[in-house]
């Protein structure tokens, strides 16, 4: 499994930087964002280092599909109210102009009562 020694999320996956874990399996880790924008805000990352959504291809579709399908379940687990009154936002910032700061592919999952810091 590829890992980048200089990548903050690879360090979290490797246990070198602590995180508040939401979910883990052999391919995926989810943990709370350190600077939450919303009452519920966690990140889902593939354990394999991928720079961004711009690098994925069709072979990554099953993993990405699994991550997306898992997001609502984890959102409920973390305290988001059910759809349609509740729900959550899913964001994947990609590249500098996409607002990406950490270059390890991650899905933001945000929810909870508004107002939120961003959006
Ligand atoms: P982005 O701008 O999409 O690249 O978002 C990166 C996110 O990672 C930001 O919301 C940061 O607050 C979050 N982040 C950075 N370092 C950590 C960390 N050590 N633990 C948890 N979240 C982090
Ligand atoms: Zn990484």
């Amino acid at each position: 499994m590829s890992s980048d020694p200089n990548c903050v999320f690879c360090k979290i996956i490797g246990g070198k930087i602590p995180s508040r874990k939401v979910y883990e399996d052999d391919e995926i880790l989810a943990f709370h964002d350190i600077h939450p924008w919303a009452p519920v805000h966690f990140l889902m990352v593939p354990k394999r280092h991928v720079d961004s959504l711009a690098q994925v291809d069709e072979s990554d579709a099953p993993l990405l599909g699994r991550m997306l399908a898992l997001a609502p379940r984890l959102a409920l687990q973390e305290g988001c109210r059910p759809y349609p009154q509740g729900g959550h936002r899913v964001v994947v910032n990609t590249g500098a102009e996409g607002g990406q700061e950490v270059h390890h592919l991650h899905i933001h999952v945000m929810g909870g009562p508004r107002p939120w810091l961003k959006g």
Side-chain angles (χ1 to χ4, degrees):
M1 184 163 316
S2 66
S3 177
D4 177 345
N6 299 313
C7 167
V8 62
F9 289 172
C10 283
K11 288 180 188 171
I12 287 176
I13 292 158
K16 295 181 186 79
I17 293 179
S19 69
R20 284 175 56 219
K21 196 186 295 181
V22 167
Y23 173 86
E24 181 169 20
D25 65 28
D26 55 341
E27 290 186 307
I28 299 166
L29 180 68
F31 52 94
H32 288 277
D33 196 292
I34 205 165
H35 294 127
W37 308 346
V40 175
H41 186 180
F42 61 88
L43 305 173
M44 304 178 70
V45 303
K47 287 190 170 175
R48 177 170 56 88
H49 180 91
V50 180
D51 284 346
S52 84
L53 197 61
Q55 278 72 40
V56 309
D57 60 32
E58 221 162 289
S59 68
D60 300 303
L63 171 61
L64 291 168
R66 232 160 55 71
M67 291 174 76
L68 207 51
L70 197 54
R73 183 156 77 72
L74 298 183
L76 288 174
Q77 174 190 303
E78 295 308 308
C80 291
R81 294 193 302 139
Y83 174 93
Q85 291 84 4
H88 58 278
R89 176 179 286 178
V90 169
V91 171
V92 185
N93 296 328
T94 305
E97 292 182 348
Q100 185 178 7
E101 290 176 359
V102 176
H103 290 265
H104 179 129
L105 172 61
H106 53 282
I107 298 178
H108 292 261
V109 182
M110 291 160 279
R114 290 177 179 267
W116 296 356
L117 194 59
K118 297 189 190 180

